[in-house]
Amino acid sequence: MKDSTRAKLAEVSTATLTTVLFKRGFRNVFLSLAPLSVEAPRMVGPAYTLRTIPAREDLDTLDVFKDPTHPQRKGVEECPPGAVFVIDSRADARAASAGGILITRLKMRGVAGAVTDGGFRDSPEIAQMGWPAYHATPSAPTNLIHHHCVDLNVPVACAGVGVHPGDIMVGDGEGVVCIPAHIADEVAEEAFEQTVFEDFVQERVAAGHTIRGLYPMTDPANRPLFEAWRKERGR
């Protein structure tokens, strides 16, 4: 991902991104998951995935964590800096997808965020980190009770959305959007332009102006007002 694309995506909302993607025919791109910290910065990064299947009692014991190649532990150590660790927990939050220690390790390694359609344990502590982490609901039990980790960096389903390695994940206070990697640059550009325009509209409407002819901009008299506003703010 280009630095300019990352910078633009860091300034746009998931709401705007879903609209831009809808215009391109993409309807199922929003992961309706909650950020643990509303103070965390917006999340932007390519997906690095972990896939799980249901646990089995003879395979999923605490001893498996002694193996450094265990997919969950291996993924935490190998997820690239700047990427987003996406965990397919099959929308099952009966056991945690990860906890505070692993999330801290991801943060300290420079990973951009973590996403699961299950739940994180140690969620109060994770919330205090001010780091982008998204889940369905808190979950205290260890992952081994219900999750068997099987694959890294393969296509997964997360919160009902197909996520492929390298897809660009963007998160804000409303949830997470998955942008197909091959259109990320053009989506970022259009979403940034749309954000600038909507900021202008928001100011005009807050000042008492009607949305007629403004949103969408069908009255040409609004165009020079917008261009002057944009120049004044350096956007």
Side-chain angles (χ1 to χ4, degrees):
M1 177 172 52
K2 297 189 297 187
D3 289 344
S4 58
T5 295
R6 185 186 288 271
K8 288 173 182 174
L9 290 175
E11 294 193 37
V12 304
S13 69
T14 56
T16 297
L17 286 169
T18 57
T19 300
V20 171
L21 286 162
F22 176 64
K23 289 164 65 176
R24 287 163 171 77
F26 293 91
R27 291 173 168 80
N28 187 36
V29 293
F30 183 69
L31 290 70
S32 186
L33 301 169
L36 275 77
S37 171
V38 296
E39 303 299 325
R42 286 184 176 174
M43 179 185 74
V44 182
Y48 179 92
T49 63
L50 168 64
R51 184 173 74 91
T52 73
I53 63 173
R56 204 172 80 181
E57 287 76 6
D58 61 331
L59 297 176
D60 295 288
T61 67
L62 288 173
D63 284 343
V64 302
F65 290 146
K66 296 177 181 178
D67 180 0
T69 67
H70 181 274
Q72 184 202 50
R73 304 308 170 93
K74 186 172 186 281
V76 167
E77 291 295 335
E78 295 185 1
C79 182
V84 174
F85 196 51
V86 180
I87 306 172
D88 168 11
S89 291
R90 312 174 321 284
D92 186 349
R94 292 177 298 165
S97 302
I101 291 174
L102 299 188
I103 294 298
T104 299
R105 180 59 177 157
L106 289 168
K107 176 184 177 182
M108 298 309 294
R109 291 191 56 253
V111 174
V115 176
T116 180
D117 57 358
F120 291 123
R121 67 194 310 196
D122 309 316
S123 56
E125 290 77 14
I126 294 172
Q128 292 176 4
M129 292 181 188
W131 185 76
Y134 293 78
H135 69 178
T137 188
S139 182
T142 181
N143 68 317
L144 298 169
I145 295 175
H146 289 292
H147 304 306
H148 178 79
C149 300
V150 288
D151 286 315
L152 285 169
N153 228 24
V154 297
V156 298
C158 190
V161 175
V163 179
H164 294 253
D167 283 347
I168 306 304
M169 312 299 291
V170 180
D172 64 7
E174 291 192 296
V176 180
V177 168
C178 175
I179 306 172
H182 66 283
I183 60 170
D185 293 340
E186 64 184 73
V187 167
E189 179 64 29
E190 182 174 344
F192 180 78
E193 292 298 316
Q194 183 69 17
T195 298
V196 173
F197 170 64
E198 290 186 352
D199 287 348
F200 164 73
V201 171
Q202 181 68 34
E203 283 194 23
R204 297 284 288 174
V205 171
H209 293 273
T210 179
I211 61 171
R212 292 175 180 157
L214 176 65
Y215 190 64
M217 190 183 288
T218 56
D219 183 350
N222 286 311
R223 175 59 59 180
L225 297 176
F226 170 57
E227 296 299 340
W229 175 92
R230 183 169 193 173
K231 183 177 181 181
E232 179 182 324
R233 286 159 179 77
R235 301 184 67 184

